[in-house]
């Protein structure tokens, strides 16, 4: 039933009729939008990222995520309720906004429980997924020289290396030794800039 106003009702069956009950319509605030700010693990070298209207969370393990819920009206309080039963109190960050921070280490889900101004506690949002993404290892390939290249003692060898990672590459060093001598290291990114 799409009931918009207070009403009364009763139940009738086989000639029997119940007492009259009153149904009161209340406009409870609900979660209109959830924004998230992702704080990645330090080893990724990535700056924090904010995504608006993104209730589902999909991040690397160890990422800290701040969820900000924008409600349709004023509420007394709100909390994140995780599927595993853990509850995280949300802090008030605006007139109708609440925020909470969690560190993601496993797949889970959550919804937001709201306490209305009159004290009613209810689910104020749908259930949303929390997914841990795999961090693939970096891949380093040599494009030059080719396999089994031989050089004379006076010949220079051009080396071209390529490094890729799903979250970026901070540095790439080449370690080498000549004729079994002392190992040397060259920062290939510095060479590229010279």
């Amino acid at each position: 039933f799409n009931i918009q106003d207070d009403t009364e009702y009763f139940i009738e069956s086989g000639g029997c009729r119940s007492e009259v009950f009153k149904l009161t319509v209340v406009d409870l605030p609900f979660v209109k939008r959830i924004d998230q700010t992702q704080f990645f693990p330090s080893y990724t070298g990535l700056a924090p990222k904010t995504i608006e209207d993104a209730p589902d969370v999909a991040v690397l393990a160890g990422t800290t995520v701040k969820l900000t819920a924008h409600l349709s009206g004023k509420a007394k309080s709100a909390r994140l309720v995780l599927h595993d039963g853990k509850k995280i109190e949300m802090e008030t960050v605006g007139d109708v906004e609440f925020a909470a921070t969690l560190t993601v280490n496993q797949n889970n889900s959550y919804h937001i429980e709201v306490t209305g101004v009159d004290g009613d506690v209810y689910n104020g949002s749908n259930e949303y997924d929390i997914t841990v993404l795999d961090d693939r290892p970096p891949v380093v390939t040599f494009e030059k020289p080719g396999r089994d290249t031989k050089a004379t003692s006076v010949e220079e060898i051009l080396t071209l290396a390529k490094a890729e990672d799903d979250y970026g590459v901070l540095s790439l060093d080449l370690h080498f030794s000549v004729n079994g001598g002392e190992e040397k290291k060259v920062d290939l990114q510095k060479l590229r800039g010279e």
Side-chain angles (χ1 to χ4, degrees), residues 56-74:
D56 289 313
V57 176
V59 293
L60 275 175
T63 301
T64 300
V65 179
K66 179 180 180 183
L67 295 169
T68 304
H70 302 267
L71 274 58
S72 63
K74 289 189 178 188

Side-chain angles (χ1 to χ4, degrees), residues 102-120:
L102 70 144
T103 301
V104 177
N105 288 309
Q106 64 183 10
N107 291 334
N108 211 331
S109 64
Y110 75 94
H111 69 272
I112 296 176
E113 184 179 85
V114 177
T115 302
V117 290
D118 57 358
D120 288 337

